[in-house]
Amino acid sequence: MAETVTLIPGDGIGPEITGAVVRILEKAGADLQWDEQIAGETALKQVGDPLPKATLESIRTNRLALKGPLSTPSGTGFRSINVALRQEFELYANVRPVRTLVPGGRYEGIDLVLVRENTEGLYSGVEHYIGIGSDPRAAAESVMLVTRFGVNRILRYAFEYAVKHGRKKVTLAHKANILKYTQGLFLDVGREMAKEYEGRVEFEDRIIDATAMLLVMDPYRFDVIVCENMFGDILSDQIAGLVGGLGLAPGGNIGESAAIFEAVHGSAPDIAGKGVANPAALLMAAIMMLQHMGQPAPAERIRNALEQTIREGDSLTPDLKGTGNTESFADAVIRRLA
Ligand SMILES: NC(=O)c1ccc[n+]([C@@H]2O[C@H](COP(=O)([O-])OP(=O)(O)OC[C@H]3O[C@@H](n4cnc5c(N)ncnc54)[C@H](O)[C@@H]3O)[C@@H](O)[C@H]2O)c1
């Protein structure tokens, strides 16, 4: 029986790109059925709750979701639903692969994977103001929470990912020279675990700022990079930039009890409703999901059709310097499904 996947179209450009992706998956023969749910601003407007119980229940039951971007108000308003979902389902590994698809960019032949810890670090949500005298917001404090348990499971995931996908090297990016406790624990556990993989996976550690520079100067020296939550957040956009930007960057949020696949980009309110959003990043997230579900055949079919469409450059959206739109892009991929 076809597996059921929770589908969250999301906010802004979300419904436009999920519509296109669902159409492509159906034509490619993916064996699944959708359980559509709402979240984010859309849910807040419709049912007064940005993360309705029915949506949580659906993900809990299906254990798999494909999610469009969700808007989060900055500074004030409700907490990020993306972060809430990651914490609710303990989606501890955020996996973001990037590969050059558009020829003629700054770099050719980029192929690397970032594994970001997704539940701890500076994004664990432990923060508060400190009042001094008459100023209730005289200072503010955010706690970088790192546990041996959390570090162990993300590093294990990174090493096992490398073994499973035939990757040669794991680079642990950190700031243990300054943050000796939190980042020191991350590094110590990494160095210890690396010994178990000797001869199978090469290991190195690098300071996060040097990693950022080297990613620009010589990205080819990297293969799998693993780091804590906020460093990973920043590096993942940086590596998306190496292959032409957010329009081509997918991500998987993986845990023991559920996995949620999404594009790295947000809800792009500036182009929402115009029909010009690029569906490729969400489509690539759907390819990751099909692989995760054990459906490599439709995944490969879509990947080949997408790569061909991008290489040949017809019908592409304006962010890829095309003159087409979301639907013409999807149609072009569908035409090339072998
Ligand atoms: N995972 C998520 O759901 C997620 C991730 C990042 C941001 N957000 C949210 O999205 C909202 C907007 O954030 P932002 O503007 O900083 O980032 P964004 O990624 O939405 O947009 C940045 C720029 O990239 C463009 N862009 C993004 N996706 C595109 C696509 N598929 N095709 C063509 N162009 C695209 C946008 O038009 C914009 O110019 C915020 O509310 C933010 O919280 C959500």
Side-chain angles (χ1 to χ4, degrees), residues 13 17 67-73 82 86 246-247 262-271 276-279 281 317 319:
I13 59 170
I17 56 174
K67 188 184 78 58
L70 301 174
S71 301
T72 309
N82 297 311
R86 289 166 195 167
L246 290 174
E262 62 183 343
V264 172
H265 63 71
S267 55
D270 51 337
I271 57 166
V276 293
N278 175 1
T317 43
D319 61 305

Tab-separated table of all heavy atoms in Angstrom, residues 13 17 67-73 82 86 246-247 262-271 276-279 281 317 319, ligand 1:
chain	number	residue	atom	x	y	z
A	13	ILE	N	5.276	31.662	-1.016
A	13	ILE	CA	5.373	30.902	-2.271
A	13	ILE	C	5.103	29.410	-2.051
A	13	ILE	O	5.058	28.643	-3.009
A	13	ILE	CB	6.772	31.056	-2.927
A	13	ILE	CG1	7.886	30.570	-1.965
A	13	ILE	CG2	7.010	32.477	-3.396
A	13	ILE	CD1	9.260	30.465	-2.615
A	17	ILE	N	4.897	26.345	-5.027
A	17	ILE	CA	5.958	25.360	-5.316
A	17	ILE	C	5.539	23.951	-4.905
A	17	ILE	O	5.889	22.993	-5.573
A	17	ILE	CB	7.327	25.766	-4.701
A	17	ILE	CG1	7.240	25.995	-3.183
A	17	ILE	CG2	7.897	26.989	-5.399
A	17	ILE	CD1	8.602	26.253	-2.532
A	67	LYS	N	7.404	19.688	3.464
A	67	LYS	CA	6.918	20.951	4.007
A	67	LYS	C	7.360	22.132	3.155
A	67	LYS	O	8.558	22.276	2.863
A	67	LYS	CB	7.481	21.096	5.429
A	67	LYS	CG	6.935	22.261	6.204
A	67	LYS	CD	7.610	22.386	7.558
A	67	LYS	CE	8.967	23.009	7.467
A	67	LYS	NZ	9.020	24.345	6.868
A	68	GLY	N	6.421	22.976	2.777
A	68	GLY	CA	6.767	24.251	2.156
A	68	GLY	C	7.281	25.197	3.236
A	68	GLY	O	7.156	24.907	4.429
A	69	PRO	N	7.839	26.344	2.843
A	69	PRO	CA	8.381	27.277	3.842
A	69	PRO	C	7.291	27.891	4.710
A	69	PRO	O	6.167	28.086	4.248
A	69	PRO	CB	9.058	28.345	2.988
A	69	PRO	CG	8.450	28.224	1.638
A	69	PRO	CD	8.027	26.810	1.461
A	70	LEU	N	7.641	28.188	5.955
A	70	LEU	CA	6.708	28.813	6.894
A	70	LEU	C	7.283	30.153	7.333
A	70	LEU	O	8.457	30.231	7.705
A	70	LEU	CB	6.515	27.910	8.124
A	70	LEU	CG	5.982	26.494	7.834
A	70	LEU	CD1	5.969	25.660	9.112
A	70	LEU	CD2	4.593	26.560	7.236
A	71	SER	N	6.472	31.192	7.297
A	71	SER	CA	6.943	32.520	7.713
A	71	SER	C	7.012	32.607	9.226
A	71	SER	O	6.164	32.064	9.928
A	71	SER	CB	5.987	33.601	7.209
A	71	SER	OG	5.894	33.560	5.813
A	72	THR	N	8.040	33.296	9.704
A	72	THR	CA	8.165	33.541	11.145
A	72	THR	C	8.369	35.036	11.347
A	72	THR	O	9.281	35.612	10.741
A	72	THR	CB	9.412	32.823	11.730
A	72	THR	OG1	9.382	31.463	11.318
A	72	THR	CG2	9.442	32.909	13.237
A	73	PRO	N	7.537	35.679	12.173
A	73	PRO	CA	7.789	37.103	12.428
A	73	PRO	C	9.122	37.283	13.164
A	73	PRO	O	9.466	36.463	14.015
A	73	PRO	CB	6.603	37.519	13.310
A	73	PRO	CG	5.982	36.266	13.811
A	73	PRO	CD	6.400	35.142	12.922
A	82	ASN	N	9.209	26.145	12.412
A	82	ASN	CA	10.238	25.211	11.936
A	82	ASN	C	11.038	24.667	13.100
A	82	ASN	O	11.293	23.469	13.208
A	82	ASN	CB	11.165	25.918	10.948
A	82	ASN	CG	10.401	26.377	9.720
A	82	ASN	OD1	9.667	25.605	9.140
A	82	ASN	ND2	10.548	27.637	9.365
A	86	ARG	N	11.089	20.778	14.727
A	86	ARG	CA	12.344	20.039	14.928
A	86	ARG	C	12.442	19.545	16.364
A	86	ARG	O	12.886	18.432	16.625
A	86	ARG	CB	13.543	20.935	14.598
A	86	ARG	CG	13.668	21.198	13.117
A	86	ARG	CD	14.627	22.325	12.817
A	86	ARG	NE	14.433	22.774	11.434
A	86	ARG	CZ	14.927	23.881	10.924
A	86	ARG	NH1	15.658	24.689	11.667
A	86	ARG	NH2	14.702	24.208	9.672
A	246	LEU	N	19.855	29.898	-2.996
A	246	LEU	CA	18.871	29.130	-2.227
A	246	LEU	C	17.868	28.372	-3.096
A	246	LEU	O	17.249	27.420	-2.638
A	246	LEU	CB	18.102	30.080	-1.298
A	246	LEU	CG	18.880	30.662	-0.123
A	246	LEU	CD1	18.035	31.685	0.617
A	246	LEU	CD2	19.318	29.565	0.825
A	247	GLY	N	17.725	28.778	-4.343
A	247	GLY	CA	16.745	28.144	-5.225
A	247	GLY	C	17.050	26.689	-5.534
A	247	GLY	O	16.218	25.967	-6.058
A	262	GLU	N	12.333	19.657	3.311
A	262	GLU	CA	11.931	21.020	2.943
A	262	GLU	C	13.031	21.683	2.117
A	262	GLU	O	14.153	21.179	2.044
A	262	GLU	CB	11.676	21.853	4.208
A	262	GLU	CG	12.918	22.009	5.069
A	262	GLU	CD	12.689	22.780	6.370
A	262	GLU	OE1	11.679	23.470	6.482
A	262	GLU	OE2	13.552	22.688	7.248
A	263	ALA	N	12.685	22.828	1.504
A	263	ALA	CA	13.706	23.648	0.854
A	263	ALA	C	14.419	24.444	1.933
A	263	ALA	O	13.852	24.705	2.995
A	263	ALA	CB	13.040	24.585	-0.140
A	264	VAL	N	15.668	24.843	1.673
A	264	VAL	CA	16.376	25.664	2.662
A	264	VAL	C	15.817	27.094	2.671
A	264	VAL	O	15.784	27.752	3.696
A	264	VAL	CB	17.906	25.667	2.357
A	264	VAL	CG1	18.643	26.663	3.235
A	264	VAL	CG2	18.484	24.262	2.547
A	265	HIS	N	15.311	27.550	1.514
A	265	HIS	CA	14.840	28.936	1.446
A	265	HIS	C	13.537	29.145	2.224
A	265	HIS	O	12.880	28.189	2.633
A	265	HIS	CB	14.650	29.375	-0.013
A	265	HIS	CG	13.604	28.600	-0.759
A	265	HIS	ND1	12.261	28.723	-0.514
A	265	HIS	CD2	13.706	27.678	-1.749
A	265	HIS	CE1	11.579	27.939	-1.318
A	265	HIS	NE2	12.427	27.273	-2.076
A	266	GLY	N	13.154	30.413	2.380
A	266	GLY	CA	11.956	30.754	3.127
A	266	GLY	C	10.753	30.982	2.222
A	266	GLY	O	10.733	30.522	1.063
A	267	SER	N	9.773	31.729	2.752
A	267	SER	CA	8.486	31.865	2.059
A	267	SER	C	8.480	32.974	1.003
A	267	SER	O	7.452	33.209	0.369
A	267	SER	CB	7.389	32.120	3.094
A	267	SER	OG	7.740	33.249	3.876
A	268	ALA	N	9.623	33.649	0.838
A	268	ALA	CA	9.808	34.666	-0.223
A	268	ALA	C	8.586	35.560	-0.406
A	268	ALA	O	7.991	35.592	-1.492
A	268	ALA	CB	10.179	33.974	-1.538
A	269	PRO	N	8.208	36.326	0.624
A	269	PRO	CA	6.994	37.150	0.489
A	269	PRO	C	7.077	38.152	-0.658
A	269	PRO	O	6.045	38.549	-1.200
A	269	PRO	CB	6.893	37.860	1.853
A	269	PRO	CG	8.167	37.598	2.574
A	269	PRO	CD	8.830	36.427	1.951
A	270	ASP	N	8.304	38.525	-1.049
A	270	ASP	CA	8.455	39.519	-2.127
A	270	ASP	C	7.960	39.011	-3.485
A	270	ASP	O	7.595	39.796	-4.349
A	270	ASP	CB	9.927	39.995	-2.238
A	270	ASP	CG	10.933	38.849	-2.316
A	270	ASP	OD1	10.621	37.725	-1.861
A	270	ASP	OD2	12.041	39.071	-2.836
A	271	ILE	N	7.931	37.677	-3.692
A	271	ILE	CA	7.466	37.176	-4.996
A	271	ILE	C	6.225	36.270	-4.852
A	271	ILE	O	5.775	35.692	-5.834
A	271	ILE	CB	8.587	36.424	-5.754
A	271	ILE	CG1	9.144	35.263	-4.907
A	271	ILE	CG2	9.695	37.366	-6.198
A	271	ILE	CD1	9.996	34.298	-5.729
A	276	VAL	N	6.177	32.922	-9.995
A	276	VAL	CA	7.533	32.855	-10.572
A	276	VAL	C	8.540	32.151	-9.654
A	276	VAL	O	9.728	32.109	-9.949
A	276	VAL	CB	8.085	34.263	-10.920
A	276	VAL	CG1	7.292	34.883	-12.051
A	276	VAL	CG2	8.106	35.168	-9.691
A	277	ALA	N	8.057	31.600	-8.528
A	277	ALA	CA	8.984	30.951	-7.589
A	277	ALA	C	9.574	29.685	-8.207
A	277	ALA	O	8.900	28.947	-8.919
A	277	ALA	CB	8.243	30.608	-6.304
A	278	ASN	N	10.828	29.461	-7.889
A	278	ASN	CA	11.555	28.297	-8.397
A	278	ASN	C	11.196	27.066	-7.538
A	278	ASN	O	11.448	27.061	-6.337
A	278	ASN	CB	13.050	28.634	-8.286
A	278	ASN	CG	13.949	27.491	-8.664
A	278	ASN	OD1	13.471	26.421	-9.044
A	278	ASN	ND2	15.242	27.722	-8.558
A	279	PRO	N	10.635	26.019	-8.136
A	279	PRO	CA	10.229	24.858	-7.341
A	279	PRO	C	11.363	23.849	-7.116
A	279	PRO	O	11.158	22.819	-6.481
A	279	PRO	CB	9.134	24.227	-8.214
A	279	PRO	CG	9.548	24.558	-9.612
A	279	PRO	CD	10.259	25.884	-9.562
A	281	ALA	N	14.247	23.619	-5.359
A	281	ALA	CA	14.782	23.240	-4.045
A	281	ALA	C	13.815	22.296	-3.334
A	281	ALA	O	14.229	21.283	-2.741
A	281	ALA	CB	15.039	24.486	-3.197
A	317	THR	N	12.807	29.597	-14.072
A	317	THR	CA	12.270	30.777	-13.389
A	317	THR	C	13.305	31.919	-13.398
A	317	THR	O	14.496	31.669	-13.608
A	317	THR	CB	11.906	30.386	-11.943
A	317	THR	OG1	12.941	29.568	-11.408
A	317	THR	CG2	10.595	29.632	-11.899
A	319	ASP	N	14.897	33.624	-11.166
A	319	ASP	CA	16.071	33.548	-10.291
A	319	ASP	C	17.194	32.733	-10.937
A	319	ASP	O	18.354	32.874	-10.581
A	319	ASP	CB	15.693	32.936	-8.927
A	319	ASP	CG	15.172	31.523	-9.074
A	319	ASP	OD1	14.209	31.319	-9.835
A	319	ASP	OD2	15.750	30.619	-8.450
B	1	LIG	N1	12.405	26.558	6.468
B	1	LIG	C1	11.577	27.593	6.415
B	1	LIG	O1	10.369	27.444	6.436
B	1	LIG	C2	12.168	28.978	6.356
B	1	LIG	C3	13.524	29.169	6.055
B	1	LIG	C4	14.006	30.484	5.961
B	1	LIG	C5	13.150	31.571	6.176
B	1	LIG	N2	11.839	31.322	6.486
B	1	LIG	C6	10.874	32.443	6.646
B	1	LIG	O2	10.593	32.980	5.347
B	1	LIG	C7	10.284	34.380	5.470
B	1	LIG	C8	11.090	35.168	4.471
B	1	LIG	O3	12.478	35.051	4.800
B	1	LIG	P1	13.658	35.688	3.952
B	1	LIG	O4	13.117	36.746	3.055
B	1	LIG	O5	14.754	36.011	4.886
B	1	LIG	O6	14.232	34.480	3.071
B	1	LIG	P2	13.665	33.814	1.749
B	1	LIG	O7	14.476	32.583	1.511
B	1	LIG	O8	12.198	33.641	1.818
B	1	LIG	O9	13.969	34.875	0.573
B	1	LIG	C9	15.280	35.407	0.302
B	1	LIG	C10	15.345	35.851	-1.174
B	1	LIG	O10	15.385	34.686	-1.996
B	1	LIG	C11	14.305	34.673	-2.910
B	1	LIG	N3	13.785	33.294	-2.994
B	1	LIG	C12	13.616	32.420	-1.966
B	1	LIG	N4	13.106	31.277	-2.404
B	1	LIG	C13	12.956	31.399	-3.737
B	1	LIG	C14	12.468	30.550	-4.759
B	1	LIG	N5	12.030	29.295	-4.507
B	1	LIG	N6	12.434	31.010	-6.029
B	1	LIG	C15	12.860	32.248	-6.327
B	1	LIG	N7	13.349	33.103	-5.394
B	1	LIG	C16	13.392	32.698	-4.122
B	1	LIG	C17	13.261	35.626	-2.327
B	1	LIG	O11	12.431	36.155	-3.347
B	1	LIG	C18	14.121	36.654	-1.625
B	1	LIG	O12	14.540	37.639	-2.542
B	1	LIG	C19	10.526	34.750	6.927
B	1	LIG	O13	9.292	34.799	7.602
B	1	LIG	C20	11.399	33.609	7.455
B	1	LIG	O14	11.222	33.401	8.825
B	1	LIG	C21	11.335	30.065	6.566
